[in-house]
């Protein structure tokens, strides 16, 4: 969480920093700030709220060709002006922005900084005060910075300005993402290439525990032992228009609409010259040889993993466990003899998943990351990567990345089944094409979805999603979408579980959304709908063509039963969207959340 930018060059930095922060707002949006440096010194502007609020307090008359900026997702200390970054040392010589969490900040404060006066509740302020302390003790800035870094436990991406060193931005990274953008006559710093595509598409990756001295015409990367590291820049394959909303009112709606195109792109990306589905031989081999697969993920990606388990077990016949990453590290299950780990992560930066990756790599196990972001931390650190090809997902609520994950998992399962000479009674290319067409129908059914949202979600405080088999997993995702953007208390349940406790919550008018796309359990889920209706619930049945009944609220086009989650989730995404819209919620930036969860 939190986004960082920096610029050092010949142009005025303020607008470049502000535009960069706007592109990083998905990483946190409770407060923001910039610090700009010129011959007269360093000026800090910061404000609680969004980048738009920050713009109101920035004095555009201050010209400065060096600057750093930050958009915050609060960890230590409430969102406020004082806790907003940048933070300054007592004398004002050093100014710092930070993304990450310093676990030992309280110890460091006690041991080294008992005399310092703190202005914020943040862990970040400890870092900038330590740098000043070591500088006062005679170290030059680079040494003081490096020495401070050696004391920090936790995650950080840092950019530092020194009033007495006007030609440099000092940068460091450990566990939090950070890139250096390279230009002619300027260099930039950014948590994500998207932020600086406005000025360059050339970026340098940084590794953990590296520090960088960035000047207008030079980038020097060093290890914490002071050894210089040489690395060539790469070209960010991002199209600036991919990260614009265009005529859409919200990124979420745009991304929902993009799903049919994403399906077609995935089919294309994973086809070989003979028109057959294919993935890297080494990945097929690694998956085939595993005696058990562990899918590790969080949130929406975890929900995609639950569906992936069905694909892999049904098609490739390899047992699969799906784990929530944040639980796995502390509560590691008894592992099989030859496990393979699959990390599912849209961003490829999720700290909880990364903690598991680090732990299983230490045990010597192999890992495959399935991500939307090439070059992301989870991709770099795993043995193999499969890309989602969904294009940048900006809305905090994940939509197209979820369906892309499900589709790529289906392809993986299918290819591995072929690799293992197993017969799969499914022409996946054809069926995914049918899915793309069905998605098209659903994204065109916005009016109906808006009506459902109005009818069921306008006044309710809670809502249940029920389903069986695949529909249960999609219900979990439907509930997450609804709660995270509309703030309606929503829960997904296996239809059969309701009567074991939850049915007690059903009151007159409680909306219960039921999904019926699976022939084998159609009668059972219908029975559950009757049970809740008999207790006053307001049921909303969404069924698949061929299984529909008279009172069903919406019938989705028929697709292969195994692939139904790819289409049945779309109405849920749209219902959540319209429910949030009608409640005047900030659809793309729901409260308390951030897109890329880079703290554990
Ligand atoms: C919800 C949502 C989150 C993410 C989760 C994992 O809409 O987007 O639940 O799925 O934070 O993020 P990634 O996939 O980036 O690891």
């Amino acid at each position: 969480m939190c986004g960082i930018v920096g610029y050092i060059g010949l142009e005025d930095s303020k607008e470049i920093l502000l535009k960069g922060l706007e592109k990083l707002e998905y990483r946190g949006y409770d407060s923001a700030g910039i610090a700009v440096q010129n011959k007269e010194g360093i000026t800090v502007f910061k404000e609680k709220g969004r980048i738009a609020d920050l713009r109101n307090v920035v004095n555009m008359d201050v010209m400065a060709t060096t600057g750093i900026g930050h958009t915050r997702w609060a960890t230590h200390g409430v969102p406020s002006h004082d806790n907003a970054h940048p933070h300054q040392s007592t004398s004002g010589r050093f100014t710092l922005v930070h993304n990450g969490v310093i676990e030992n900040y309280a110890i460091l404060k006690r041991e080294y900084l008992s005399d310092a006066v703190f202005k914020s509740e943040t862990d970040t302020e400890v870092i900038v005060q330590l740098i000043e302390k070591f500088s006062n003790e005679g170290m030059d800035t680079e040494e003081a910075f490096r020495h401070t870094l050696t004391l920090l436990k936790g995650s950080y991406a840092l950019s530092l300005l020194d009033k007495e060193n006007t030609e440099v931005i000092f940068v460091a990274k450990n566990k939090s993402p950070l890139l250096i953008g390279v230009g002619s006559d300027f260099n930039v710093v950014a948590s994500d290439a998207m932020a600086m595509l406005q000025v360059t598409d050339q970026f340098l990756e940084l590794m953990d525990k590296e520090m960088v001295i960035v000047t207008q015409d030079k980038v020097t990367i060093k290890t914490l032992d002071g050894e210089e590291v040489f690395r060539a820049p790469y070209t960010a394959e991002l199209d600036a228009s991919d990260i614009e909303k265009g005529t859409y009112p919200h990124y979420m709606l745009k991304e929902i609409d993009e799903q049919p195109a994403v399906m077609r792109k995935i089919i294309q990306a994973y086809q070989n010259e003979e028109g057959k589905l294919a993935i890297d031989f080494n990945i097929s081999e690694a998956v085939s040889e595993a005696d058990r697969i562990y899918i590790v993920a969080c949130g929406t990606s975890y929900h995609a993993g639950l569906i992936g388990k069905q694909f892999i077990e049904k098609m490739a016949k390899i047992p699969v466990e799906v784990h929530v990453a944040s639980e796995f590290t502390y509560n590691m299950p008894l592992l099989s003899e030859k496990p393979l780990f699959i990390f599912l992560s849209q961003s490829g930066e999720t700290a909880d998943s990364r903690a598991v990756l680090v732990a299983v790599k230490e045990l010597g196990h192999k890992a495959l990351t399935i991500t939307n972001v090439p070059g992301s931390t989870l991709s770099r650190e795993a043995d193999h990567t499969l890309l989602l090809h969904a294009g940048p997902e900006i809305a905090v609520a994940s939509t197209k990345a979820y369906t892309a994950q499900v589709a790529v998992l289906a392809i993986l399962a299918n290819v591995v089944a072929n690799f293992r000479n197993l017969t799969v009674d499914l022409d996946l290319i054809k069926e995914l094409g049918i899915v793309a067409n069905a998605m098209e129908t659903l994204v065109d059914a916005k009016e109906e979805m808006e009506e459902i949202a109005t009818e069921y979600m306008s006044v309710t405080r809670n809502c249940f999603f029920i389903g069986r088999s695949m529909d249960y997993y999609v219900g979990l995702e439907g509930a997450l979408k609804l709660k995270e953007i509309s703030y309606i208390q929503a829960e997904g349940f296996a239809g059969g579980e309701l009567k074991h406790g939850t049915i007690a919550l059903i009151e007159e008018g409680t909306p219960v959304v039921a999904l019926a796309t699976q022939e084998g359990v159609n009668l059972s889920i219908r029975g559950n709908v009757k049970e809740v209706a008999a207790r006053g619930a307001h049921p909303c049945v969404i069924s698949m063509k061929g299984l529909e009944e008279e009172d069903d609220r919406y019938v989705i086009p028929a697709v292969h039963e195994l692939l139904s989650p790819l289409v049945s989730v779309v109405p849920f995404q749209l219902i959540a969207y319209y429910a949030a819209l009608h409640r005047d919620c900030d659809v793309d930036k729901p409260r308390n959340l951030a897109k890329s969860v880079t703290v554990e």
Side-chain angles (χ1 to χ4, degrees):
M1 346 280 265
C2 302
I4 284 183
V5 288
Y7 173 86
I8 183 159
L10 303 176
E11 308 232 341
D12 182 47
S13 58
K14 294 189 303 293
E15 194 52 38
I16 297 169
L17 296 173
L18 288 167
K19 277 204 183 115
L21 289 178
E22 275 160 3
K23 294 280 178 266
L24 291 183
E25 243 186 342
Y26 73 90
R27 303 180 63 85
Y29 35 82
D30 59 45
S31 51
I34 59 170
V36 291
Q37 180 166 30
N38 57 23
K39 295 236 151 43
E40 275 99 65
I42 296 174
T43 316
V44 173
F45 304 100
K46 54 186 183 176
E47 189 60 308
K48 184 177 168 198
R50 305 279 166 96
I51 310 303
D53 302 301
L54 172 64
R55 275 188 180 279
N56 292 335
V57 300
V58 173
N59 177 353
M60 284 299 179
D61 296 336
V62 179
M63 290 300 153
T65 55
T66 302
I68 55 178
H70 186 272
T71 180
R72 181 169 187 249
W73 186 86
T75 56
H76 295 67
V78 296
S80 68
H81 175 275
D82 288 346
N83 289 332
H85 300 218
H87 292 286
Q88 294 195 292
S89 58
T90 303
S91 75
R93 176 172 168 185
F94 297 103
T95 305
L96 182 79
V97 291
H98 167 219
N99 165 28
V101 172
I102 304 305
E103 288 155 15
N104 59 339
Y105 83 103
I107 299 169
L108 293 172
K109 199 169 171 177
R110 220 173 27 244
E111 272 184 27
Y112 293 91
L113 300 166
S114 49
D115 296 339
V117 179
F118 283 82
K119 297 188 209 84
S120 77
E121 303 156 88
T122 64
D123 49 344
T124 306
E125 203 180 341
V126 170
I127 311 175
V128 76
Q129 297 286 21
L130 281 174
I131 296 167
E132 175 148 297
K133 176 187 164 62
F134 298 133
S135 151
N136 288 342
E137 287 173 3
M139 293 185 194
D140 67 25
T141 305
E142 187 180 327
E143 266 180 283
F145 188 43
R146 181 182 300 115
H147 186 56
T148 302
L149 297 176
T150 61
L151 299 177
L152 304 181
K153 286 205 169 61
S155 55
Y156 55 77
L158 300 169
S159 288
L160 174 80
L161 296 180
D162 171 8
K163 203 149 96 183
E164 290 175 22
N165 226 329
T166 54
E167 310 292 309
V168 188
I169 303 178
F170 296 90
V171 170
K173 167 196 149 56
N174 187 43
K175 296 189 191 167
S176 298
L178 202 61
L179 298 168
I180 306 292
V182 190
S184 49
D185 293 334
F186 71 87
N187 288 305
V188 290
V189 184
S191 301
D192 180 330
M194 274 198 288
M196 284 300 163
L197 267 190
Q198 48 164 327
V199 288
T200 184
D201 64 357
Q202 297 299 301
F203 289 89
L204 276 165
E205 263 178 21
L206 298 182
M207 300 299 153
D208 285 349
K209 304 224 162 131
E210 285 181 344
M211 58 177 284
V212 197
I213 294 151
V214 186
T215 66
Q216 176 229 312
D217 54 8
K218 197 161 180 231
V219 176
T220 312
I221 306 176
K222 293 184 179 179
T223 64
L224 292 193
D225 299 327
E227 221 171 278
E228 203 167 329
V229 177
F230 296 93
R231 192 169 297 137
Y234 68 92
T235 305
E237 309 276 346
L238 274 170
D239 185 340
S241 66
D242 281 351
I243 56 176
E244 300 301 335
K245 258 197 318 239
T247 53
Y248 281 91
H250 297 101
Y251 280 107
M252 186 179 175
L253 197 60
K254 173 175 181 259
E255 290 159 6
I256 291 172
D257 270 8
E258 282 170 353
Q259 294 178 107
V262 171
M263 283 303 112
R264 293 181 184 122
K265 196 160 170 204
I266 290 172
I267 302 169
Q268 223 175 16
Y270 286 104
Q271 255 182 87
N272 63 16
E273 282 163 5
E274 292 147 25
K276 295 218 168 76
L277 287 173
I279 55 174
D280 180 344
F281 176 87
N282 295 319
I283 299 179
S284 301
E285 191 178 54
V287 178
S288 293
E289 284 177 355
D291 63 358
R292 184 170 287 261
I293 290 169
Y294 296 81
I295 297 182
V296 179
C298 311
T300 287
S301 298
Y302 169 74
H303 294 158
L306 294 171
I307 292 163
K309 169 183 161 76
Q310 304 302 319
F311 294 156
I312 297 172
E313 290 191 342
K314 291 198 164 74
M315 292 192 239
K317 312 281 184 222
I318 305 171
V320 181
E321 290 179 22
V322 191
H323 291 270
V324 167
S326 56
E327 285 293 308
F328 192 96
T329 16
Y330 312 105
N331 216 353
M332 204 179 281
L334 201 54
L335 298 178
S336 66
E337 267 178 32
K338 207 158 180 225
L340 176 93
F341 285 82
I342 298 184
F343 292 88
L344 266 189
S345 173
Q346 186 284 130
S347 63
E349 299 294 348
T350 302
D352 290 325
S353 298
R354 193 198 176 206
V356 181
L357 175 59
V358 170
V360 300
K361 294 293 309 171
E362 267 169 26
L363 294 172
H365 300 311
K366 294 269 178 258
L368 158 68
T369 289
I370 302 184
T371 180
N372 203 22
V373 185
S376 57
T377 307
L378 283 166
S379 164
R380 281 203 314 268
E381 296 181 356
D383 303 277
H384 310 283
T385 296
L386 286 177
L387 291 177
L388 296 178
H389 299 285
E393 191 180 64
I394 315 277
V396 164
S398 184
T399 52
K400 63 176 179 172
Y402 168 84
T403 41
Q405 283 170 336
V406 172
V408 171
L409 282 162
I411 291 172
L412 174 69
N414 197 267
V415 173
V416 170
N418 289 335
F419 193 89
R420 306 182 97 208
N421 290 323
L422 297 167
T423 314
V424 180
D425 189 17
L426 168 73
D427 179 348
L428 193 54
I429 296 182
K430 184 178 133 221
E431 296 298 340
L432 284 174
I434 296 173
V435 161
N437 294 343
M439 281 176 158
E440 206 90 70
T441 309
L442 290 168
V443 298
D444 287 345
K446 292 194 182 65
E447 269 178 35
E448 282 105 312
M449 297 308 153
E450 188 166 10
E451 275 168 25
I452 296 177
T454 311
E455 182 183 336
Y456 288 84
M457 311 299 171
S458 293
V459 289
T460 191
R461 280 178 50 240
N462 58 4
C463 174
F464 297 101
F465 287 75
I466 61 170
R468 287 174 179 250
S469 173
M470 291 298 215
D471 292 340
Y472 162 45
Y473 306 134
V474 182
L476 293 176
E477 176 57 9
L480 178 59
K481 266 331 57 120
L482 186 66
K483 71 180 118 179
E484 73 177 316
I485 61 168
S486 74
Y487 317 140
I488 295 170
Q489 162 89 50
E491 301 303 334
F493 285 100
E497 266 297 290
L498 272 184
K499 58 185 172 297
H500 297 292
T502 312
I503 203 163
L505 293 173
I506 301 294
E507 292 173 350
E508 199 56 39
T510 306
V512 175
V513 183
L515 202 51
T517 74
Q518 307 289 302
E519 195 175 358
V521 291
N522 191 29
L523 291 180
S524 315
I525 196 69
R526 302 277 174 186
N528 298 136
V529 171
K530 293 237 160 21
E531 285 157 14
V532 291
R535 287 158 180 83
H538 186 22
C540 170
V541 180
I542 297 184
S543 58
M544 191 155 78
K545 186 100 194 115
L547 300 177
E548 74 269 32
E549 287 187 8
E550 207 186 329
D551 291 333
D552 292 354
R553 192 64 177 76
Y554 190 81
V555 181
I556 60 177
V559 297
H560 193 289
E561 202 175 65
L562 204 53
L563 302 178
S564 65
L566 288 165
V567 288
S568 57
V569 77
V570 180
F572 290 174
Q573 296 167 342
L574 284 167
I575 291 168
Y577 173 80
Y578 287 111
L581 198 68
H582 293 172
R583 288 172 170 244
D584 277 336
C585 300
D586 189 340
V587 173
D588 282 340
K589 296 193 185 99
R591 70 184 177 208
N592 305 339
L593 292 173
K595 180 85 184 151
S596 191
V597 187
T598 52
V599 293
E600 281 177 40

